[in-house]
Amino acid sequence: MEVQIAQLINDSFNPDVNVVRTATEALDRLSLLPHFPYSLLSVASGGQDQGQRIGAATYFKNFTRRSINKDDPNSKVSKEFKEQLLRTLLQVEASVLKVLVEVFRIIVVAEFVENDFWPELVPDLQSAISNSNLINDNASSQWNTINALTVLCALVRPFQYFLNPKVAKEPVPPQLELITKEILVPILSVFPRLVEKALSSISSMELELEKSLLLICKCTHLTVRSHMPSALVHSVPSFCRNLTGLLDSLSFDCGVTPEDGHLLRLKTGKRSLLIFSALVTRHRKYSDKLMPDIINCALRIVKNSTNISKLDFPSERIISLAFDVISHILETGPGWRLVSPHFSSLLDSAIFPALVLNGKDISEWEEDSEEFIRKNLPSELEEISGWREDLFTARKSAINLLGVISMSRGPPTATSWNGSVTSSKRKKGEKNKRDNQRYFMGELLVLPYLSKYPIPSDVNALKEGIVNDYFGVLMAYGGLQDFLKEQKPGYVIPLVRSRLLPLYTVPLTSPYLVAAVNWIIGELASCLPEEMKEDIYTSLLKALAMPDNENIPCHPVRVSAAGAISELLENEYLPPKWLPLLQVVISRIDMEEEETSILFQLLSSMVEAGDENVADHIPYMVSSLAGLLSKFIHPGLESWPQVLEKGFAALAVMAQSWENAVPEDSEQIGSSSKGKWVSGQATIGIALSALLQQTWLMPMQPVDQNDQVSPTPTCMDDLSTLLRSVIVSVTGSDVMLQLKLSELILAWADLIADWHAWEESEDLSIFDCIREVVNLNSKYGLKDFVSRQMPSPPAPPVPLQSIIEGIGAFISEAIRQYPSATWRACSCVHMLLHVPCYPTETEVKQSLSVYFCQAAFSHFKEVQSKPCPLWKPLLLVISSCYLCYPDIVERILEKDVKGGFRIWGSALASVCTGSFEPGLLAKSEIKLAASRTREFRWFIK
């Protein structure tokens, strides 16, 4: 079988798709044979070439994923196979090991972690490790230490997180205790010897030794990330001392390559710092005595931030983690006492050097300003701009540490850090309260330190050091947001007025500084005094309109300004005039796709905050933006770009705001105001109809002529709002034809029929649109509302779904979903069953009644054991269907559950005799259903 499997694996790489399909089908047939996994494993370990071996290992991994079912006792793996798998793992080459270890992990979780079905695993692995080449110092050993430690990592990986998050204090799993006692502790006993050997040969690093050190540290980190096995406690101090020695050996003045031993040493250092963080944050009981050594080690590392512009990413990541370790220590009980003596030197020689602008930053800004934003501005505005937190940098960690320091309390004295007395003359009767007051270190140390750096001006702005240093000052201010928000109102006024706002007025101010100021203002928006917000807003508006320089892109300036303005609006600041802001935003939209997405979101915030102050401009904005968005819609898009999603959301907010701007009582609207609203709504309707036609009705170009390409079912909540706005603009049948509403509603109904993205906020507009569609049909009649004509040849003679059938499919599925969707869907059932246009010969109404009844009764059976608010809407649906087709409903209820009809009747009784909340239909309808049921007439007496 091995020869046959090897040939089929080779065939699976064939460029001919038919050969690949035949080989895959043959392998699938062979996989049913009991000896198949043994043969496949044999090919993976002993195939004729590396490609074949990796291919067999990959197929084996996928086969195992399909075969292992923890709920099926028949999927248990045999002892013989597990032994063969372990032997193979300990001997195969690295490329195959990387794939096969995934197979091992799948089996370990099912067999060992969850069921403890593999008692031989720990002693077998312990024996292999203790007799492996590096641990036993025997080059001729049949077991490879790297392989064995890789297997150990896979074994402990499932224990890195708590296995049962519902348990408040989960004990250490017994399997992890066993692994630690039998395998990890013996490894750590020889760890000092390995470290000593590695440190003594620093000039010529042995890659196998460095890899082993990394794997041992990785195994230990995975072990202590959540738990602290009792067997490990006594090994922690010695182990940490060895980690400190490895960290002290790191070199930060040379580049690394993937094949370089220095890179492995840096990875080991990274894992060592992660271990320190886990010990400090999760296992303080065992780490308090180790903190002085850990602190000193971290302090030595972070001082390399003075050279950060020359460091590669792995080295910078080490410094970032060292900053994080200090932050974690500061947040523990004894942390302040141990770290506070180093505050001044830490700030001057490590934190601030990590914050200043350097040549590498400037290069990143000029080459890819979006990348610069993503890496260097750790702000709350990232939700607005789309910036991600997936890159760890020393700057971000230094800012975080500075924030932790600033929120730390100083000693109980009224004397500031530099010795000056900060207390003012006490009032009579105040006694000595201030003498024992503990000030924040932000006030005692950080702000005084930052104040020594001059703000750039016309005189010194051209000096590179001034600009670069002040960028670091601004980054530091951004890290003080928690401290500044804790202070009394008005505390930030001097800071904003003297250290931030002047940068907007200096002609030679660098865009780097303006972007940073925008970011800080956005961070502090909630604590800015009202008297300053107008000046701040004016400055931000200027930044939002900043054009690109010849060599320096100003995209980060505009993005951060948009975010800061959004924050001001969310904190209830209203600009004195909205038109200038609207003009700037509209003029910038469509300049750049990434920036356009952000501006669309800002526009949504503006419309929501401005309300009636912005309403007059909405028709023009909708008309303009709908045309711009149409440029981003292309045939055959599998998924829409973010700019489309943000654009649809902004248009939906505008359409809703325009509708809300009209008084509910039409008699209050004057003739001129009413004409203005009707005209504006007509403009909105025409623009949105054209956009929806391009979105839903534009001819699709399938790759294969036999394929049918449908519109993308995305943003249905916002698009339903837009469709509803088009419907509202209809004033007659001619307008409805002009707007192609029948076609649009039909396409929309087809999309919601397959809707599955049920969320509390993602379907509300769909239900609102359903009501408008039914009302529109009642007024003017919609083509294809109840039934559709048979398609013309050569299409198959299968009747297509009508509008109400698509809506009915959506409602039926919604009845089965979460409570909110159930209530909304049930409220639509009566309306759909009583539209006045059902032909007498159609079966659509009967089909809808069947679907609604089945869905409602199915959901009712799930909640019937305990009376709940969902009883009423579900019973109402069944009652509405029963009034239309009593015999059919009775058969449905009896078919689902024996005695189902009586179950429904009993539930009706409880509803009829209890309280009834209005909002769906009158209580009389349920009583009417009961009264027409012979068996249950007594319920309403």
Side-chain angles (χ1 to χ4, degrees):
M1 185 184 290
E2 285 87 349
V3 175
Q4 185 180 5
I5 290 176
Q7 182 58 50
L8 291 174
I9 292 294
N10 288 341
D11 290 345
S12 67
F13 299 136
N14 197 295
D16 189 335
V17 294
N18 294 321
V19 175
V20 173
R21 184 183 298 113
T22 301
T24 303
E25 291 173 353
L27 284 170
D28 290 343
R29 287 193 298 271
L30 289 174
S31 67
L32 302 176
L33 301 177
H35 200 69
F36 176 78
Y38 294 90
S39 300
L40 190 60
L41 186 58
S42 178
V43 175
S45 61
Q48 62 184 7
D49 56 58
Q50 187 183 65
Q52 186 184 83
R53 294 191 293 271
I54 294 177
T58 303
Y59 188 91
F60 188 32
K61 177 179 68 174
N62 297 329
F63 167 76
T64 305
R65 283 175 175 166
R66 295 194 306 265
S67 303
I68 295 293
N69 182 357
K70 62 183 180 181
D71 297 325
D72 182 7
N74 294 324
S75 67
K76 185 177 177 181
V77 183
S78 69
K79 175 184 177 182
E80 294 75 18
F81 179 77
K82 288 184 290 192
E83 290 177 350
Q84 180 174 334
L85 173 61
L86 182 58
R87 285 195 302 270
T88 303
L89 288 169
L90 294 172
Q91 295 175 316
V92 293
E93 60 193 298
S95 58
V96 177
L97 175 66
K98 186 176 181 180
V99 182
L100 286 184
V101 78
E102 295 295 323
V103 178
F104 175 76
R105 189 181 302 171
I106 296 169
I107 297 176
V108 158
V109 171
E111 294 278 305
F112 181 74
V113 177
E114 297 181 353
N115 296 305
D116 206 7
F117 286 159
W118 198 347
E120 306 86 6
L121 174 58
V122 171
D124 288 351
L125 183 57
Q126 187 275 332
S127 175
I129 292 177
S130 62
N131 292 290
S132 63
N133 59 326
L134 284 179
I135 301 298
N136 194 32
D137 204 11
N138 180 7
S140 62
S141 173
Q142 63 172 326
W143 307 128
N144 186 293
T145 299
I146 302 296
N147 289 38
L149 291 176
T150 301
V151 172
L152 178 60
C153 282
L155 179 58
V156 297
R157 183 177 293 276
F159 301 102
Q160 65 176 313
Y161 304 115
F162 292 114
L163 300 179
N164 188 357
K166 297 181 180 180
V167 177
K169 189 175 182 181
E170 182 180 314
V172 180
Q175 297 98 317
L176 184 60
E177 283 280 12
L178 180 63
I179 295 168
T180 304
K181 179 182 178 181
E182 300 297 329
I183 302 178
L184 188 56
V185 170
I187 290 176
L188 294 184
S189 66
V190 301
F191 187 69
R193 173 171 61 83
L194 299 178
V195 171
E196 182 180 1
K197 182 178 180 181
L199 295 180
S200 63
S201 58
I202 189 67
S203 58
S204 57
M205 291 185 171
E206 298 181 18
L207 294 183
E208 190 175 22
L209 177 59
E210 295 294 332
K211 181 70 172 177
S212 298
L213 294 175
L214 173 59
L215 288 171
I216 293 172
C217 290
K218 189 174 182 180
C219 291
T220 309
H221 176 232
L222 295 173
T223 300
V224 302
R225 189 167 182 174
S226 295
H227 306 281
M228 175 55 73
S230 58
L232 188 62
V233 171
H234 297 296
S235 301
V236 168
S238 172
F239 180 61
C240 288
R241 284 192 294 271
N242 284 282
L243 296 184
T244 301
L246 286 171
L247 288 166
D248 288 341
S249 73
L250 297 180
S251 174
F252 294 92
D253 57 1
C254 62
V256 295
T257 62
E259 298 79 18
D260 194 348
H262 289 285
L263 178 59
L264 291 173
R265 181 70 60 86
L266 286 172
K267 288 184 176 181
T268 302
K270 167 190 153 185
R271 194 64 64 166
S272 300
L273 291 169
L274 290 173
I275 292 172
F276 286 165
S277 290
L279 292 175
V280 169
T281 55
R282 285 207 175 272
H283 311 297
R284 268 194 51 205
K285 178 180 177 181
Y286 308 107
S287 64
D288 276 355
K289 295 182 179 179
L290 305 174
M291 280 193 186
D293 291 336
I294 294 176
I295 290 172
N296 291 331
C297 179
L299 289 173
R300 289 192 292 269
I301 292 174
V302 296
K303 290 182 180 179
N304 288 282
S305 64
T306 56
N307 198 32
I308 203 167
S309 63
K310 301 177 182 178
L311 297 181
D312 47 37
F313 174 71
S315 301
E316 186 179 350
R317 181 74 174 106
I318 295 293
I319 296 176
S320 174
L321 283 170
F323 277 128
D324 293 340
V325 168
I326 298 173
S327 297
H328 294 321
I329 292 174
L330 263 180
E331 293 166 344
T332 65
W336 193 93
R337 176 178 55 81
L338 295 170
V339 181
S340 59
H342 306 281
F343 277 166
S344 292
S345 62
L346 186 60
L347 182 57
D348 191 49
S349 62
I351 296 178
F352 193 76
L355 304 183
V356 299
L357 197 66
N358 57 58
K360 185 166 65 173
D361 295 329
I362 295 173
S363 175
E364 288 175 350
W365 179 296
E366 294 175 353
E367 292 177 5
D368 188 351
S369 55
E370 184 66 26
E371 183 77 0
F372 178 87
I373 293 173
R374 184 160 60 96
K375 287 180 63 177
N376 297 292
L377 296 184
S379 84
E380 298 297 330
L381 308 182
E382 291 179 9
E383 293 183 1
I384 294 172
S385 69
W387 304 337
R388 303 192 303 272
E389 288 280 1
D390 59 347
L391 289 178
F392 301 93
T393 64
R395 175 173 287 135
K396 289 183 179 181
S397 295
I399 290 174
N400 178 65
L401 174 56
L402 190 63
V404 175
I405 290 175
S406 68
M407 289 297 292
S408 300
R409 296 281 187 173
T413 176
T415 304
S416 68
W417 193 258
N418 59 10
S420 62
V421 178
T422 58
S423 61
S424 59
K425 186 176 180 180
R426 292 192 301 271
K427 295 180 181 179
K428 186 176 181 181
E430 197 175 64
K431 297 184 180 179
N432 295 323
K433 288 183 180 179
R434 290 182 60 88
D435 292 341
N436 293 321
Q437 185 171 349
R438 299 184 65 187
Y439 289 88
F440 287 111
M441 294 305 298
E443 181 180 2
L444 295 176
L445 172 65
V446 181
L447 287 178
Y449 174 85
L450 297 175
S451 65
K452 72 181 185 180
Y453 292 94
I455 186 171
S457 63
D458 293 340
V459 178
N460 63 16
L462 293 178
K463 296 181 180 179
E464 182 178 340
I466 297 293
V467 171
N468 292 358
D469 286 348
Y470 207 76
F471 182 86
V473 172
L474 295 175
M475 291 290 101
Y477 287 150
L480 301 181
Q481 54 180 300
D482 291 336
F483 159 71
L484 294 173
K485 290 175 182 178
E486 284 287 325
Q487 307 310 308
K488 295 179 180 179
Y491 185 89
V492 300
I493 292 178
L495 174 66
V496 174
R497 183 162 290 156
S498 63
R499 304 286 281 174
L500 299 181
L501 288 183
L503 290 171
Y504 291 108
T505 60
V506 178
L508 299 176
T509 297
S510 167
Y512 317 122
L513 301 186
V514 179
V517 174
N518 295 340
W519 165 59
I520 296 163
I521 289 175
E523 296 291 290
L524 302 178
S526 62
C527 60
L528 292 173
E530 287 297 326
E531 60 267 27
M532 297 192 69
K533 286 186 177 179
E534 185 171 350
D535 291 340
I536 291 171
Y537 165 75
T538 303
S539 299
L540 289 173
L541 184 59
K542 178 182 176 182
L544 185 65
M546 181 179 288
D548 290 336
N549 294 341
E550 291 183 3
N551 299 320
I552 303 178
C554 292
H555 167 70
V557 176
R558 296 187 293 268
V559 166
S560 54
I565 292 173
S566 294
E567 291 292 331
L568 286 180
L569 296 177
E570 291 181 10
N571 283 276
E572 301 181 350
Y573 171 74
L574 300 180
K577 295 181 180 180
W578 287 91
L579 185 57
L581 177 59
L582 291 171
Q583 288 174 331
V584 171
V585 174
I586 296 295
S587 67
R588 290 297 315 176
I589 283 180
D590 199 33
M591 295 277 188
E592 182 183 335
E593 184 171 328
E594 184 70 30
E595 195 170 317
T596 295
S597 298
I598 298 163
L599 292 176
F600 271 132
Q601 194 154 347
L602 172 59
L603 201 55
S604 298
S605 300
M606 291 161 53
V607 173
E608 290 174 341
D611 206 6
E612 67 274 3
N613 297 313
V614 181
D616 288 345
H617 306 287
I618 287 178
Y620 167 75
M621 290 193 296
V622 169
S623 182
S624 301
L625 297 178
L628 291 174
L629 273 180
S630 65
K631 299 178 182 179
F632 295 97
I633 301 175
H634 305 290
L637 278 179
E638 293 184 2
S639 60
W640 286 344
Q642 187 185 51
V643 65
L644 272 180
E645 296 182 2
K646 299 297 184 184
F648 287 141
L651 288 176
V653 170
M654 293 180 197
Q656 191 65 52
S657 180
W658 177 256
E659 186 176 343
N660 294 340
V662 182
E664 294 182 5
D665 188 352
S666 59
E667 296 179 358
Q668 298 178 4
I669 308 176
S671 57
S672 61
S673 298
K674 185 174 182 179
K676 180 180 178 181
W677 185 87
V678 172
S679 175
Q681 185 63 48
T683 301
I684 292 173
I686 292 172
L688 295 182
S689 173
L691 182 63
L692 291 175
Q693 287 176 46
Q694 188 176 2
T695 304
W696 290 338
L697 306 182
M698 183 172 62
M700 298 291 180
Q701 302 297 328
V703 177
D704 189 333
Q705 292 184 352
N706 296 323
D707 293 339
Q708 184 177 359
V709 180
S710 302
T712 304
T714 311
C715 304
M716 289 306 300
D717 184 61
D718 293 326
L719 291 176
S720 296
T721 299
L722 302 187
L723 178 61
R724 183 174 180 273
S725 185
V726 177
I727 295 173
V728 170
S729 66
V730 172
T731 56
S733 299
D734 55 336
V735 176
M736 191 173 73
L737 291 174
Q738 176 189 357
L739 299 177
K740 292 191 176 182
L741 263 175
S742 290
E743 294 88 339
L744 289 175
I745 292 173
L746 183 60
W748 168 81
D750 286 340
L751 288 171
I752 66 171
D754 295 325
W755 180 254
H756 300 292
W758 300 97
E759 296 179 14
E760 287 291 342
S761 61
E762 284 295 313
D763 57 23
L764 182 58
S765 294
I766 299 179
F767 288 105
D768 292 338
C769 196
I770 287 173
R771 295 183 179 89
E772 292 295 339
V773 168
V774 173
N775 292 336
L776 183 70
N777 179 69
S778 300
K779 289 182 181 180
Y780 305 108
L782 283 168
K783 179 185 175 183
D784 299 323
F785 184 77
V786 173
S787 60
R788 291 174 68 179
Q789 295 180 351
M790 199 74 71
S792 303
V798 179
L800 300 176
Q801 186 173 251
S802 66
I803 292 174
I804 199 167
E805 287 173 326
I807 294 174
F810 171 81
I811 294 297
S812 298
E813 185 65 19
I815 291 173
R816 296 183 171 93
Q817 300 305 319
Y818 61 82
S820 178
T822 298
W823 274 91
R824 295 168 188 165
C826 292
S827 68
C828 296
V829 168
H830 179 83
M831 173 181 65
L832 294 174
L833 291 179
H834 292 83
V835 293
C837 60
Y838 287 116
T840 55
E841 67 276 7
T842 185
E843 296 181 356
V844 173
K845 181 177 180 179
Q846 179 177 318
S847 299
L848 290 176
S849 298
V850 171
Y851 295 148
F852 294 157
C853 181
Q854 289 175 338
F857 194 56
S858 174
H859 196 167
F860 176 74
K861 288 186 295 183
E862 297 174 1
V863 299
Q864 74 176 98
S865 60
K866 184 177 181 180
C868 69
L870 279 183
W871 274 37
K872 295 175 182 178
L874 294 172
L875 294 175
L876 173 62
V877 168
I878 300 173
S879 300
S880 297
C881 298
Y882 182 82
L883 290 175
C884 298
Y885 303 98
D887 294 337
I888 293 176
V889 169
E890 184 172 350
R891 286 198 297 270
I892 291 173
L893 300 182
E894 287 296 328
K895 181 180 179 182
D896 279 356
V897 177
K898 184 177 181 180
F901 192 55
R902 178 168 291 276
I903 292 173
W904 170 61
S906 300
L908 273 181
S910 65
V911 171
C912 290
T913 56
S915 61
F916 194 92
E917 297 177 5
L920 295 175
L921 283 177
K923 180 178 180 179
S924 58
E925 177 146 331
I926 289 185
K927 288 192 173 184
L928 179 61
S931 68
R932 294 187 179 181
T933 309
R934 295 189 303 273
E935 292 85 345
F936 306 125
R937 286 177 182 170
W938 57 273
F939 286 159
I940 60 172
K941 295 180 181 178

